[in-house]
Amino acid sequence: MSDIINVLLVDDHAIVRAGLKAVIGVAHDVRVIGEAANGVDAISMAERLKPDVVIMDLTMPGGDGVTATKGLVALANPPKVLVLTMHTEEEYLLPALK
């Protein structure tokens, strides 16, 4: 077992991914192993790269974060998923997860 936490960043905004990557970059035990701009690519990359953690945006064109998270947790060795969003539960999360 590695002491390094491998992270996949998923957000449709490149500037957000760059900012997250910069923040994560200061940690010695965490590394970004991939970046995806939509949920479809996130699942494909997670299958290939086997991240420990996926940092997931919820609202993205080309495959939203809720659908992608459902796909990720269905994988044989699912990663942990940390969701970052500006939406409240009442606005987005609760209706989308039903």
Side-chain angles (χ1 to χ4, degrees), residues 8-9 19 24 27 31 34 68 72-73 80 96:
L8 172 62
L9 300 176
I24 290 169
R31 75 174 161 214
L72 290 172
V73 299
K80 304 290 186 205

Side-chain angles (χ1 to χ4, degrees), residues 58 64-67 69-70 83 89 92-98:
L58 284 183
D64 69 273
V66 172
T67 303
T69 298
K70 289 177 182 179
V83 174
E89 287 182 20
Y92 191 83
L93 293 176
L94 295 179
L97 293 173
K98 290 181 181 178

Side-chain angles (χ1 to χ4, degrees), residues 34-54:
E35 299 179 36
N38 62 61
V40 173
D41 289 345
I43 295 170
S44 174
M45 290 183 78
E47 290 175 323
R48 190 173 69 254
L49 299 174
K50 311 281 191 246
D52 301 306
V53 176
V54 174

Side-chain angles (χ1 to χ4, degrees), residues 14-33:
I15 192 85
V16 172
R17 292 193 314 269
L20 289 169
K21 191 172 184 178
V23 170
I24 290 169
V26 300
H28 299 295
D29 57 349
V30 182
R31 75 174 161 214
V32 174
I33 59 170

Side-chain angles (χ1 to χ4, degrees), residues 10-13 36-40 42 56-66 68 92:
V10 184
D11 196 293
D12 57 319
H13 296 97
N38 62 61
V40 173
M56 178 73 69
D57 182 20
L58 284 183
T59 52
M60 298 174 287
D64 69 273
V66 172
Y92 191 83

